[in-house]
Amino acid sequence: MNNPAPVSTAPRERKPDWIRVKAPTSAGFNETRKLMRDLNLATVCEEAACPNIGECWTKKHATVMILGDVCTRACAFCNVKTGMPRAVDPLEPEHVAIAAAKMGLEHIVITSVDRDDLPDGGASQFVKVIQALRRNTPSTTIEILTPDFRNKVESAVEAIIEARPDVYNHNLETVPRLYPTIRPGARYYASLRLLESVKRHDPSIFTKSGVMLGLGEERMEVHQVMDDMRSADIDFLTMGQYLQPTPKHAKVAEFVTPQAFDAYAAIARAKGFLLVAATPLTRSSYHAGDDFAKMKAARDAKLAKAG
């Protein structure tokens, strides 16, 4: 068995060719950045140092991160700042809706930092953002990527479900064995139950979850996570390569080859996911709009076949 990925201050290993991306320089990139600044919005694209930011922002696709840019947790894989967050911005929901309208988004992804300091974990802000988007850009489909709302009342998640996002995403991130070192503030089965509860309350909402590879997980552990996801009726699995944001973060245990990602994807499809995205550069919201259309078509085809 590999040991859990340790936190390291050693120089980072050189990335293989398949993981490298060009630095963002386009006009579209700069326009997206200016819009986010003007509306005082944070994005996970910037805060989490996503490798796909150049491609996505050039296409005017951005994943908005609500509830500020300071997280109350300190996961070993994440580049978002940790500390005591500022007060929730009451203008944020309308600003998100304005951004969606100005970018002409057909599909938007909304995520957030963990807000363990708030009684509902920030769930009510997700509801307000969904409502603002429905009012201002009713044709935009909405995908949310939420924290686990650990130790918060169940009504927090129920309120989001009642607001009816089109896709509810919550990432399991890694295999259960690595949670104590990689995701210490969370609990694997609590995250799984959250996704299960979405389907129980409203089966029409698509559910989605993702894992990072290269943290020291074993192949059979990844297969077990897939089985756990399917038992929770999760529709869409994303798998991507973990990249060490800074020397203070968990070290990359392995750069998983594109061929290995293809093999994982084939197994996941055989297990019954409606959609699987598995490449080294895959991230939760990468190509989310195109993937939503594919997932919807896959479910329609499945229902037609069953009927």
Side-chain angles (χ1 to χ4, degrees):
M1 296 281 276
N2 291 339
N3 292 323
V7 173
S8 170
T9 55
R12 279 172 283 174
E13 188 180 343
R14 183 177 165 82
K15 293 175 187 172
D17 290 341
W18 64 75
I19 209 78
R20 292 192 205 140
V21 291
K22 290 179 180 176
T25 55
S26 72
F29 173 88
N30 292 323
E31 286 168 20
T32 301
R33 181 167 61 181
K34 184 177 184 304
L35 179 61
M36 294 298 126
R37 296 288 182 278
D38 291 348
L39 292 169
N40 195 31
L41 293 174
T43 68
V44 76
C45 321
E46 289 179 289
E47 303 302 329
C50 180
N52 304 313
I53 187 169
E55 178 187 343
C56 294
W57 280 27
T58 295
K59 296 176 180 176
K60 303 278 182 75
H61 295 168
T63 298
V64 177
M65 190 167 77
I66 63 172
L67 296 164
D69 61 358
V70 179
C71 188
T72 53
R73 297 191 195 169
C75 295
F77 64 87
C78 184
N79 198 45
V80 174
K81 295 190 290 284
T82 302
M84 180 49 69
R86 293 187 295 274
V88 176
D89 179 3
L91 299 176
E92 193 173 57
E94 286 302 319
H95 285 173
V96 172
I98 291 167
K102 286 193 172 181
M103 289 193 285
L105 295 182
E106 294 178 7
H107 185 83
I108 189 169
V109 183
I110 308 296
T111 189
S112 81
V113 289
D114 275 289
R115 290 296 301 259
D116 295 318
D117 59 311
L118 299 174
D120 68 349
S124 57
Q125 190 77 339
F126 272 98
V127 172
K128 289 170 186 171
V129 169
I130 293 168
Q131 290 171 341
L133 286 163
R134 297 291 188 218
R135 280 195 308 272
N136 290 279
T137 57
S139 63
T140 302
T141 48
I142 302 169
E143 178 171 330
I144 58 167
L145 170 55
T146 75
D148 60 6
F149 301 113
R150 187 168 166 243
N151 298 330
K152 305 301 176 187
V153 288
E154 196 172 326
S155 58
V157 175
E158 287 174 3
I160 296 176
I161 297 167
E162 282 166 18
R164 300 205 74 251
D166 297 281
V167 183
Y168 195 120
N169 185 2
H170 173 65
N171 288 329
L172 294 183
E173 305 291 10
T174 189
V175 301
R177 176 176 58 85
L178 297 181
Y179 262 57
T181 51
I182 299 303
R183 203 173 174 228
R187 299 292 179 269
Y188 177 81
Y189 288 103
S191 287
L192 208 55
R193 281 196 299 273
L194 183 153
L195 287 157
E196 198 170 36
S197 72
V198 175
K199 279 293 187 190
R200 189 171 65 250
H201 282 91
D202 190 341
S204 71
I205 296 174
F206 289 104
T207 50
K208 177 176 173 181
S209 190
V211 293
M212 301 172 290
L213 301 182
L215 283 163
E217 67 287 332
E218 296 288 333
R219 187 167 52 88
M220 294 312 295
E221 289 179 306
V222 178
H223 293 176
Q224 183 60 55
V225 170
M226 292 178 188
D227 288 337
D228 292 343
M229 286 186 181
R230 288 305 302 132
S231 71
D233 204 19
I234 292 167
D235 297 304
F236 184 5
L237 167 63
T238 62
M239 308 177 81
Q241 170 70 50
Y242 166 68
L243 298 174
Q244 185 182 7
T246 75
K248 294 179 182 177
H249 288 82
K251 188 172 166 50
V252 175
E254 175 192 7
F255 283 108
V256 180
T257 66
Q259 293 77 15
F261 273 99
D262 289 344
Y264 276 128
I267 290 162
R269 289 187 189 101
K271 289 181 183 292
F273 289 96
L274 275 181
L275 196 65
V276 179
T279 72
L281 286 172
T282 292
R283 296 296 181 266
S284 291
S285 51
Y286 190 42
H287 295 161
D290 293 340
D291 285 340
F292 174 73
K294 289 177 192 171
M295 187 162 52
K296 196 167 179 298
R299 181 162 73 183
D300 290 346
K302 189 176 177 181
L303 289 172
K305 191 176 179 182

